[in-house]
Short mmCIF file of all heavy atoms in Angstrom, two decimals:
data_model
loop_
_atom_site.label_atom_id
_atom_site.label_comp_id
_atom_site.label_asym_id
_atom_site.label_seq_id
_atom_site.Cartn_x
_atom_site.Cartn_y
_atom_site.Cartn_z
N ALA V 118 -59.87 -25.71 -18.37
CA ALA V 118 -60.76 -26.79 -18.81
C ALA V 118 -60.17 -28.16 -18.49
O ALA V 118 -60.89 -29.13 -18.28
CB ALA V 118 -61.03 -26.67 -20.30
N ASP V 119 -58.83 -28.22 -18.42
CA ASP V 119 -58.17 -29.50 -18.14
C ASP V 119 -58.60 -30.10 -16.80
O ASP V 119 -58.70 -31.31 -16.67
CB ASP V 119 -56.64 -29.31 -18.14
CG ASP V 119 -56.07 -29.59 -19.52
OD1 ASP V 119 -56.83 -30.15 -20.35
OD2 ASP V 119 -54.89 -29.27 -19.75
N SER V 120 -58.85 -29.23 -15.82
CA SER V 120 -59.22 -29.79 -14.52
C SER V 120 -60.61 -30.43 -14.56
O SER V 120 -60.98 -31.18 -13.66
CB SER V 120 -59.11 -28.73 -13.43
OG SER V 120 -59.80 -27.57 -13.82
N ILE V 121 -61.39 -30.14 -15.59
CA ILE V 121 -62.67 -30.84 -15.75
C ILE V 121 -62.52 -32.02 -16.72
O ILE V 121 -62.84 -33.16 -16.40
CB ILE V 121 -63.78 -29.89 -16.25
CG1 ILE V 121 -64.01 -28.78 -15.23
CG2 ILE V 121 -65.07 -30.67 -16.51
CD1 ILE V 121 -65.07 -27.76 -15.64
N TYR V 122 -62.03 -31.73 -17.91
CA TYR V 122 -62.06 -32.75 -18.97
C TYR V 122 -60.75 -33.51 -19.13
O TYR V 122 -60.73 -34.57 -19.75
CB TYR V 122 -62.40 -32.09 -20.31
CG TYR V 122 -63.73 -31.38 -20.33
CD1 TYR V 122 -63.82 -30.01 -20.24
CD2 TYR V 122 -64.92 -32.12 -20.42
CE1 TYR V 122 -65.04 -29.36 -20.24
CE2 TYR V 122 -66.15 -31.48 -20.43
CZ TYR V 122 -66.21 -30.09 -20.33
OH TYR V 122 -67.41 -29.49 -20.35
N GLY V 123 -59.67 -32.97 -18.61
CA GLY V 123 -58.37 -33.62 -18.78
C GLY V 123 -57.98 -33.70 -20.26
O GLY V 123 -57.51 -34.74 -20.73
N ILE V 124 -58.19 -32.61 -20.99
CA ILE V 124 -57.97 -32.64 -22.44
C ILE V 124 -56.49 -32.86 -22.78
O ILE V 124 -56.15 -33.75 -23.58
CB ILE V 124 -58.48 -31.33 -23.09
CG1 ILE V 124 -60.00 -31.24 -22.90
CG2 ILE V 124 -58.13 -31.28 -24.58
CD1 ILE V 124 -60.56 -29.86 -23.15
N THR V 125 -55.63 -32.08 -22.13
CA THR V 125 -54.20 -32.18 -22.46
C THR V 125 -53.69 -33.61 -22.25
O THR V 125 -52.94 -34.13 -23.08
CB THR V 125 -53.39 -31.19 -21.59
OG1 THR V 125 -53.99 -29.89 -21.73
CG2 THR V 125 -51.94 -31.12 -22.03
N GLN V 126 -54.14 -34.25 -21.14
CA GLN V 126 -53.68 -35.62 -20.87
C GLN V 126 -54.23 -36.60 -21.91
O GLN V 126 -53.68 -37.68 -22.09
CB GLN V 126 -54.12 -36.09 -19.48
CG GLN V 126 -53.52 -35.31 -18.32
CD GLN V 126 -54.46 -34.20 -17.86
OE1 GLN V 126 -54.73 -33.27 -18.63
NE2 GLN V 126 -54.94 -34.30 -16.64
N SER V 127 -55.35 -36.24 -22.56
CA SER V 127 -55.96 -37.20 -23.48
C SER V 127 -55.46 -37.02 -24.92
O SER V 127 -55.93 -37.71 -25.81
CB SER V 127 -57.48 -37.07 -23.43
OG SER V 127 -57.87 -35.83 -23.97
N ILE V 128 -54.54 -36.10 -25.10
CA ILE V 128 -53.97 -35.94 -26.46
C ILE V 128 -53.03 -37.10 -26.73
O ILE V 128 -52.07 -37.32 -25.98
CB ILE V 128 -53.21 -34.59 -26.58
CG1 ILE V 128 -54.19 -33.43 -26.41
CG2 ILE V 128 -52.49 -34.49 -27.92
CD1 ILE V 128 -53.53 -32.07 -26.35
N TYR V 129 -53.34 -37.91 -27.74
CA TYR V 129 -52.51 -39.09 -28.00
C TYR V 129 -51.56 -38.86 -29.18
O TYR V 129 -50.70 -39.68 -29.47
CB TYR V 129 -53.36 -40.35 -28.19
CG TYR V 129 -54.27 -40.32 -29.40
CD1 TYR V 129 -53.88 -40.91 -30.61
CD2 TYR V 129 -55.51 -39.71 -29.34
CE1 TYR V 129 -54.71 -40.88 -31.71
CE2 TYR V 129 -56.35 -39.67 -30.43
CZ TYR V 129 -55.95 -40.26 -31.62
OH TYR V 129 -56.77 -40.23 -32.71
N GLU V 130 -51.77 -37.72 -29.87
CA GLU V 130 -50.86 -37.39 -30.97
C GLU V 130 -50.87 -35.89 -31.15
O GLU V 130 -51.94 -35.26 -31.11
CB GLU V 130 -51.35 -38.08 -32.25
CG GLU V 130 -50.22 -38.41 -33.23
CD GLU V 130 -50.76 -39.00 -34.53
OE1 GLU V 130 -51.66 -39.87 -34.46
OE2 GLU V 130 -50.30 -38.59 -35.60
N GLY V 131 -49.70 -35.29 -31.28
CA GLY V 131 -49.64 -33.86 -31.53
C GLY V 131 -49.57 -33.03 -30.26
O GLY V 131 -49.23 -33.52 -29.20
N MET V 132 -49.96 -31.74 -30.39
CA MET V 132 -49.80 -30.76 -29.33
C MET V 132 -51.14 -30.08 -29.03
O MET V 132 -52.01 -30.03 -29.90
CB MET V 132 -48.81 -29.66 -29.80
CG MET V 132 -47.45 -30.16 -30.23
SD MET V 132 -46.47 -30.56 -28.80
CE MET V 132 -46.15 -28.91 -28.18
N PRO V 133 -51.29 -29.50 -27.86
CA PRO V 133 -52.51 -28.72 -27.60
C PRO V 133 -52.53 -27.45 -28.44
O PRO V 133 -51.48 -26.93 -28.79
CB PRO V 133 -52.42 -28.39 -26.11
CG PRO V 133 -51.07 -28.76 -25.65
CD PRO V 133 -50.40 -29.59 -26.69
N PRO V 134 -53.73 -26.96 -28.80
CA PRO V 134 -53.83 -25.75 -29.62
C PRO V 134 -53.53 -24.53 -28.75
O PRO V 134 -54.10 -24.39 -27.67
CB PRO V 134 -55.29 -25.74 -30.07
CG PRO V 134 -56.02 -26.52 -29.02
CD PRO V 134 -55.05 -27.49 -28.42
N THR V 135 -52.63 -23.67 -29.18
CA THR V 135 -52.29 -22.50 -28.38
C THR V 135 -52.60 -21.21 -29.12
O THR V 135 -53.01 -20.23 -28.52
CB THR V 135 -50.80 -22.52 -28.00
OG1 THR V 135 -50.04 -22.80 -29.18
CG2 THR V 135 -50.50 -23.58 -26.95
N ARG V 136 -52.42 -21.22 -30.44
CA ARG V 136 -52.63 -19.99 -31.19
C ARG V 136 -54.07 -19.92 -31.69
O ARG V 136 -54.77 -20.93 -31.74
CB ARG V 136 -51.66 -19.91 -32.37
CG ARG V 136 -50.21 -19.70 -31.93
CD ARG V 136 -49.29 -19.94 -33.09
NE ARG V 136 -49.54 -21.25 -33.69
CZ ARG V 136 -48.99 -21.67 -34.81
NH1 ARG V 136 -48.19 -20.88 -35.50
NH2 ARG V 136 -49.25 -22.87 -35.28
N LYS V 137 -54.45 -18.71 -32.06
CA LYS V 137 -55.77 -18.53 -32.66
C LYS V 137 -55.86 -19.40 -33.93
O LYS V 137 -54.89 -19.53 -34.67
CB LYS V 137 -55.93 -17.05 -33.03
CG LYS V 137 -57.35 -16.69 -33.39
CD LYS V 137 -57.43 -15.18 -33.66
CE LYS V 137 -58.77 -14.85 -34.24
NZ LYS V 137 -58.82 -13.46 -34.70
N ASN V 138 -57.04 -20.03 -34.10
CA ASN V 138 -57.32 -20.90 -35.25
C ASN V 138 -56.52 -22.20 -35.28
O ASN V 138 -56.42 -22.85 -36.30
CB ASN V 138 -57.15 -20.14 -36.57
CG ASN V 138 -58.17 -19.02 -36.68
OD1 ASN V 138 -59.23 -19.09 -36.05
ND2 ASN V 138 -57.85 -17.99 -37.46
N ASP V 139 -55.95 -22.56 -34.11
CA ASP V 139 -55.44 -23.92 -33.93
C ASP V 139 -56.59 -24.77 -33.40
O ASP V 139 -57.36 -24.30 -32.57
CB ASP V 139 -54.32 -23.93 -32.89
CG ASP V 139 -52.97 -23.54 -33.48
OD1 ASP V 139 -52.91 -23.35 -34.71
OD2 ASP V 139 -52.01 -23.42 -32.70
N VAL V 140 -56.70 -26.02 -33.84
CA VAL V 140 -57.76 -26.87 -33.29
C VAL V 140 -57.23 -28.26 -32.94
O VAL V 140 -56.22 -28.73 -33.48
CB VAL V 140 -58.97 -27.04 -34.26
CG1 VAL V 140 -59.72 -25.75 -34.45
CG2 VAL V 140 -58.52 -27.65 -35.58
N LEU V 141 -57.99 -28.87 -32.01
CA LEU V 141 -57.72 -30.24 -31.58
C LEU V 141 -58.94 -31.05 -31.99
O LEU V 141 -60.08 -30.65 -31.76
CB LEU V 141 -57.57 -30.21 -30.06
CG LEU V 141 -56.84 -31.33 -29.35
CD1 LEU V 141 -55.40 -31.41 -29.85
CD2 LEU V 141 -56.86 -31.08 -27.85
N ILE V 142 -58.70 -32.19 -32.63
CA ILE V 142 -59.81 -33.00 -33.17
C ILE V 142 -59.88 -34.32 -32.41
O ILE V 142 -58.86 -34.89 -32.04
CB ILE V 142 -59.58 -33.29 -34.68
CG1 ILE V 142 -59.45 -31.99 -35.48
CG2 ILE V 142 -60.67 -34.20 -35.27
CD1 ILE V 142 -60.73 -31.24 -35.73
#
Side-chain angles (χ1 to χ4, degrees):
Chain V
D119 268 347
S120 51
I121 298 179
Y122 301 103
I124 295 164
T125 308
Q126 296 95 296
S127 68
I128 296 173
Y129 64 97
E130 209 184 316
M132 303 284 289
T135 48
R136 291 167 307 172
K137 192 176 170 189
N138 296 335
D139 277 356
V140 293
L141 201 60
I142 302 285

